[in-house]
């Protein structure tokens, strides 16, 4: 109905049988452009944190993402985001509010996750792809910074108890937060912990 309204729907059929926490719906969003600099995105999509996570699977340098990125990222979530492209791609910004419980999972409490990202491309617009398959004729540089804050809740006071977002990599029993939260001063069910994560990234391309 309008070139300013774009959308994406992506389903991963493999996930339907893999785990109750992953129900197969990957991307499901609408984005409305008021200006290049002012756009609003609603639905489920990747939260704007970690350059490698924001890079499509088909544009990675290697087959898999770094396990460090996988262990720190919030990834897909349900929410709303203000985003924009400034000066024909010299800078991008994202500011979003999400449920914080992960892919196709609604939060059962009123806690939320806040995410912000800024990327500056001083030599010109630079796409999110790791390899320089386009053989960039001129040098391209991109510097990014991102942050997210999520509030997690301990579900039971027992040792080995889970968090209310235990389906996320960093909060699972094998994740950096899930492994240690019983040692972090939690004593009772419903205790809360505010998680603040910061990241920075740098990318450079020129002639492959």
């Amino acid at each position: 109905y309008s070139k300013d309204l774009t959308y994406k729907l992506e389903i991963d059929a493999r996930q339907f049988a893999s785990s109750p926490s992953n129900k197969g719906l990957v991307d499901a969003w609408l984005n409305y452009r008021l200006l290049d600099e002012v756009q609003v995105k609603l639905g489920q999509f990747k939260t704007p944190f970690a350059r490698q996570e924001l890079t499509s699977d088909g544009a990675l340098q290697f087959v898999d993402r770094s396990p460090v990125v996988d262990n720190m990222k919030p990834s897909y979530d349900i929410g709303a985001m203000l985003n924009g492209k400034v000066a024909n791609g010299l800078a991008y910004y994202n500011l979003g509010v999400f449920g914080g419980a992960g892919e196709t999972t609604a939060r059962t409490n009123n806690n939320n996750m806040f995410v912000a990202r800024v990327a500056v491309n001083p030599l010109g617009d630079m796409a999110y792809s790791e390899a320089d398959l386009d053989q960039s004729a001129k040098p391209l540089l991109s510097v990014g910074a991102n942050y997210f804050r999520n509030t997690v809740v301990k579900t039971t006071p027992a040792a080995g108890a889970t968090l209310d977002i235990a389906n996320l990599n960093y909060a699972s029993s094998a994740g950096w937060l899930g492994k240690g939260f019983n040692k972090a001063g939690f004593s009772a069910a419903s205790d809360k912990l505010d998680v603040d994560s910061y990241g920075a990234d740098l990318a450079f391309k020129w002639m492959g």
Side-chain angles (χ1 to χ4, degrees), residues 11-83:
I11 295 173
D12 184 354
R14 298 171 302 171
Q15 293 189 21
F16 284 106
S18 64
S19 169
S21 63
N22 292 326
K23 301 177 177 64
L25 185 63
V26 183
D27 275 302
W29 52 258
L30 295 170
N31 189 85
Y32 189 76
R33 172 189 171 279
L34 298 169
L35 303 166
D36 281 349
E37 296 84 0
V38 184
Q39 304 181 48
V40 179
K41 193 171 186 178
L42 303 169
Q44 176 170 285
F45 47 92
K46 286 183 179 180
T47 55
F49 188 89
R51 179 180 291 272
Q52 192 180 63
E53 171 64 7
L54 295 173
T55 301
S56 170
D57 293 358
L60 297 175
Q61 180 80 42
F62 299 106
V63 175
D64 296 314
R65 289 186 173 84
S66 160
V68 177
V69 172
D70 281 340
N71 201 36
M72 303 295 289
K73 67 184 183 182
S75 196
Y76 286 95
D77 214 316
I78 303 166
M81 182 173 73
L82 184 67
N83 63 101

Side-chain angles (χ1 to χ4, degrees), residues 147-176:
Y147 162 79
F148 81 83
R149 179 186 182 91
N150 199 3
T151 300
V152 300
V153 181
K154 188 174 182 181
T155 54
T156 69
T162 57
L163 302 172
D164 69 327
I165 56 167
N167 58 309
L168 299 180
N169 283 359
Y170 68 89
S172 70
S173 59
W176 67 266

